[in-house]
Amino acid sequence: MKNNHKIIAANWKMNGSEELIKEFSKFAPEKHNDIIICPPFTLLDSAKTLLPSFIKIGAQNCSEKNNGPFTGEISASMLQEKSVTHVLIGHSERRTLFNETDDVIYKKAEAAICSKLTPIICIGETLLEKKANKTLQVLDYQIDGSVAKINPHEKFIVAYEPIWAIGTGLIPNENEIKETHLHIKTKLSQNFNTDIPILYGGSANAENCSQITSIKNVGGLLVGGASLNQHDFLAICNC
Ligand code: 13P
């Protein structure tokens, strides 16, 4: 069964330029999915000014702190001043390259919520964990350490991104996506009454987007590489 309304989020990572923002200025998908573009911090102003107003602007990270002596950090309230509405929290690249723990991820999500941003909290297993049949266990652990501590009345999004699928061209098969999304949904329903959107991320592209978004409990996509090409991203937003 296919839900009509999806969230399609673009994670540009440390890519993009003023030129790329300009290329997206006439972006006009036919479908009314919720579209969020998360460019690097330095492009947030241009994104707000040049992108069509139906596109929501997200950041890729925020500090767990409000302000103070934290050189190089950017707080959620600073992002809110830039008209940012969403922020990616706990992307696997932040977890592995910047040592972000579930506790830090929880604190960042709280900081985002305090500044009225919607956190998109990323979870997912490594290839080793998948091969050891530990996927669901890892997801439970990550959810318990971060997402489950959020106040049940708050609004947030979860993105399931198997780490082995990010940037590799590999994706889980349909049954695997079905199983993980159902598992995450069931687990979240223990703490949260409302339906939390669960996005899939990892090598999503113009060819596989329709198939992935038609899987039950997939609330949309978090797209990396393919979101940097406006033709590909347009096709994804129309899926
Ligand atoms: P790719 O779509 O390039 O695999 O990246 C996924 C991702 O990390 C999005 O956050």
Side-chain angles (χ1 to χ4, degrees):
M1 195 188 75
K2 182 156 177 151
N3 294 334
N4 286 329
H5 190 79
K6 300 289 175 187
I7 298 169
I8 310 291
N11 177 7
W12 282 8
K13 308 192 181 186
M14 201 169 72
N15 298 298
S17 59
E18 299 283 343
E19 273 316 300
L20 189 65
I21 296 271
K22 279 185 205 143
E23 279 177 32
F24 276 79
S25 64
K26 299 214 164 43
F27 197 72
E30 283 154 24
K31 284 229 179 145
H32 294 286
N33 289 316
D34 264 356
I35 299 170
I36 307 160
I37 293 188
C38 308
F41 290 130
T42 49
L43 294 175
L44 289 174
D45 274 339
S46 311
K48 186 66 206 163
T49 314
L50 296 175
L51 295 182
S53 59
F54 66 87
I55 297 181
K56 300 190 175 96
I57 312 296
Q60 298 173 19
N61 181 31
C62 71
S63 173
E64 62 190 90
K65 310 282 188 195
N66 262 337
N67 50 46
F70 304 104
T71 303
E73 290 290 278
I74 293 181
S75 71
S77 58
M78 291 168 177
L79 294 173
Q80 196 208 12
E81 279 177 17
K82 294 284 171 194
S83 305
V84 164
T85 54
H86 292 72
V87 56
L88 300 177
I89 304 281
H91 189 279
S92 67
E93 287 148 20
R94 304 277 336 157
R95 290 175 185 261
T96 38
L97 303 173
F98 301 95
N99 303 318
E100 289 189 7
T101 60
D102 286 314
D103 189 50
V104 167
I105 289 159
Y106 161 64
K107 287 178 178 145
K108 288 186 172 200
E110 278 292 304
I113 288 166
C114 280
S115 291
K116 309 218 167 347
L117 306 182
T118 303
I120 303 174
I121 304 164
C122 304
I123 57 175
E125 82 286 0
T126 63
L127 188 57
L128 269 183
E129 289 162 342
K130 175 184 164 55
K131 283 187 171 162
N133 276 325
K134 290 202 170 127
T135 297
L136 302 184
Q137 207 177 312
V138 169
L139 297 179
D140 281 352
Y141 186 83
Q142 292 176 337
I143 291 172
D144 285 337
S146 58
V147 179
K149 297 187 194 164
I150 293 174
N151 183 320
H153 304 294
E154 300 298 350
K155 195 172 142 207
F156 64 94
I157 296 169
V158 169
Y160 168 57
E161 297 205 303
I163 296 171
W164 54 271
I166 295 177
T168 59
L170 302 170
I171 56 165
N173 67 39
E174 200 172 323
N175 279 336
E176 288 170 328
I177 296 181
K178 205 184 275 176
E179 185 190 22
T180 43
H181 279 249
L182 175 63
H183 184 82
I184 296 165
K185 184 189 161 83
T186 309
K187 174 125 182 108
L188 293 177
S189 69
Q190 294 166 2
N191 291 57
F192 304 98
N193 291 328
T194 50
D195 247 357
I196 311 292
I198 307 165
L199 313 185
Y200 168 81
S203 296
N205 60 34
E207 281 77 49
N208 60 27
C209 60
S210 293
Q211 193 205 348
I212 299 174
T213 52
S214 66
I215 299 172
K216 194 157 188 231
N217 299 316
V218 173
L221 299 169
L222 178 53
V223 187
S227 70
L228 292 165
N229 177 301
Q230 65 145 320
H231 300 290
D232 288 349
F233 194 57
L234 188 66
I236 296 170
C237 290
N238 280 328
C239 77

